[in-house]
Amino acid sequence: MEKQPGLSGVTSVIKPWNVPSGLPDEHDARESLVNDARGRYIQDILRMHSRLSFHGMAGQLQKNDALLYQANHGRGLVTLVAHTDQIPERYLIGLAGFRLAEYLQAGFASEELVFGRSLFCEPIREFHQDDTHVITIDEESGRILGYVALAHSKDPEPRPLTDPGRLLFPCEEVHSIRLQTALPDVQALETRHIREVKRLAHNHTVTARDLRLRITLELLAGITMAVYAERDSIRLLIGDVEEHIALKHLVLLGLDVYLLTGTTPKVSRQDLMHPRYFNAEKVLPFYSWMPPVEEVAQVGKQLEEAAAALSPIRALRGLMADLSGSVEHLSLPEEAAA
């Protein structure tokens, strides 16, 4: 990536009183230079990530016996699922770069912070070793076409959800809530039983409806089979979603989703993803209990069949008829505040 020229060479000039009105002053000129440099930097990042290929990733993960799940349904897509600590660092950087690039494209990531911090990917130090990454790759080009993560608690050791000293999940921090006050029957629940659904993204270059839907079905099958691979260790999915966008994906998993109403996101302007909460539809926190492992396996099989179908649109109609996911709105009690 080309190094951008610095701005330290801009000098101050005292203007004579007879400078015609309407000409940009020094502050406007400097701001224009910064905006131009930022725009070039962002475009450099997007171009760089658009050229990356992950052709060798499947072979490397297979060699290391690191895959929780792998699927190739013969439709030109390969889906891989693995934990952070099993993915080589160069691929982790690529995944973190894809996440950042797609959120920049969607207007959900801060260009100012990316430029100001000289970022080219999300900081991988923020990944937990047991985060689960679901990646759908174009078999021919090796490009990532879809991605979603199931994020683990940041606590170094499992802690009871009711522990007042545990670290909050990101969705709890953003919405200023403590999930245990909104959940029934949490006494036996530990942070290791919970995953936060994060960074669901499609490659912005994919515009064909059939292909986008097939990618979605691949990711949903990957999520389900990742949960199945870990058997009863994942009991609860949480996160926050746009009610009329990402929520529909959760319902396609056959889950009963509880949307928590009455919260107002409070996100620092120093948070890399703060634009998501100001530039999009209202984002609501949710939780959903995982069904028994036998049901998870059955849903995974249905999703795999849909992802492999000749017509993903027809397969989607079948899923909507067969899977009985639901959505219920819950008003948070006052004591739910973090």
Side-chain angles (χ1 to χ4, degrees):
M1 188 179 301
E2 293 183 357
K3 184 177 180 182
Q4 299 296 332
L7 299 175
S8 58
V10 176
T11 56
S12 298
V13 177
I14 300 176
K15 297 179 180 180
W17 286 106
N18 61 354
V19 171
S21 62
L23 292 180
D25 60 17
E26 180 191 352
H27 177 270
D28 291 338
R30 181 178 178 83
E31 185 174 10
S32 179
L33 285 172
V34 171
N35 289 339
D36 288 346
R38 181 172 63 237
R40 291 194 301 272
Y41 185 82
I42 296 300
Q43 289 306 310
D44 282 346
I45 290 173
L46 298 180
R47 279 193 294 269
M48 176 183 70
H49 288 296
S50 72
R51 294 193 294 265
L52 294 183
S53 172
F54 291 76
H55 261 310
M57 187 174 181
Q60 185 66 57
L61 293 177
Q62 287 172 338
K63 179 181 176 181
N64 297 340
D65 195 24
L67 286 166
L68 291 171
Y69 172 76
Q70 179 179 6
N72 184 337
H73 298 118
R75 300 294 178 185
L77 304 177
V78 175
T79 296
L80 311 171
V81 181
H83 287 149
T84 298
D85 64 353
Q86 297 298 309
I87 300 175
E89 185 176 13
R90 65 183 184 278
Y91 289 123
L92 276 181
I93 292 172
L95 294 177
F98 176 83
R99 289 165 44 141
L100 180 61
E102 293 309 315
Y103 268 55
L104 283 168
Q105 288 283 345
F108 291 172
S110 169
E111 292 187 2
E112 290 78 9
L113 292 181
V114 170
F115 177 61
R117 297 173 184 175
S118 300
L119 299 177
F120 59 90
C121 67
E122 288 189 52
I124 63 172
R125 66 177 179 275
E126 296 182 5
F127 291 176
H128 188 281
Q129 65 178 11
D130 290 326
D131 284 354
T132 304
H133 304 270
V134 183
I135 312 113
T136 295
I137 298 170
D138 179 75
E139 192 172 22
E140 182 177 350
S141 68
R143 292 184 307 135
I144 298 178
L145 298 185
Y147 173 89
V148 66
L150 301 179
H152 196 282
S153 164
K154 293 298 189 292
D155 279 312
E157 298 293 336
R159 304 182 77 166
L161 189 66
T162 54
D163 186 340
R166 71 172 176 86
L167 296 175
L168 296 178
F169 285 88
C171 67
E172 292 180 292
E173 291 185 283
V174 167
H175 296 278
S176 300
I177 60 174
R178 296 189 70 86
L179 280 169
Q180 64 265 36
T181 60
L183 291 166
D185 304 323
V186 297
Q187 294 305 316
L189 200 62
E190 296 185 351
T191 53
R192 64 188 175 90
H193 298 133
I194 303 169
R195 296 294 183 275
E196 181 167 349
V197 182
K198 298 185 68 173
R199 301 293 190 270
L200 176 63
H202 291 69
N203 191 309
H204 69 278
T205 64
V206 178
T207 57
R209 183 185 178 196
D210 279 17
L211 181 54
R212 287 185 67 86
L213 178 53
R214 196 180 297 282
I215 293 166
T216 298
L217 294 171
E218 289 278 355
L219 293 175
L220 295 179
I223 290 173
T224 307
M225 299 311 290
V227 172
Y228 177 70
E230 300 194 54
R231 298 302 190 269
D232 292 326
S233 63
I234 301 177
R235 296 169 53 189
L236 186 74
L237 294 183
I238 64 172
D240 53 15
V241 292
E242 301 87 351
E243 187 169 0
H244 298 102
I245 304 175
L247 178 60
K248 62 186 179 182
H249 299 131
L250 296 171
V251 175
L252 275 179
L253 288 170
L255 299 176
D256 296 321
V257 181
Y258 296 90
L259 283 178
L260 306 178
T261 62
T263 68
T264 301
K266 298 176 182 176
V267 188
S268 167
R269 292 285 177 175
Q270 297 307 305
D271 187 309
L272 183 60
M273 299 300 170
H274 78 257
R276 178 180 177 231
Y277 296 93
F278 300 105
N279 295 347
E281 180 186 349
K282 184 174 175 62
V283 178
L284 297 175
F286 75 87
Y287 70 85
S288 181
W289 295 100
M290 296 306 302
V293 66
E294 297 81 8
E295 291 183 30
V296 173
Q298 180 59 37
V299 171
K301 181 179 178 181
Q302 289 177 270
L303 287 165
E304 285 188 307
E305 291 173 351
L310 181 63
S311 169
I313 295 176
R314 189 176 297 118
L316 174 63
R317 295 193 188 105
L319 284 176
M320 294 174 67
D322 293 341
L323 298 181
S324 56
S326 66
V327 178
E328 183 176 341
H329 292 75
L330 295 180
S331 181
L332 279 172
E334 290 185 7
E335 60 270 22

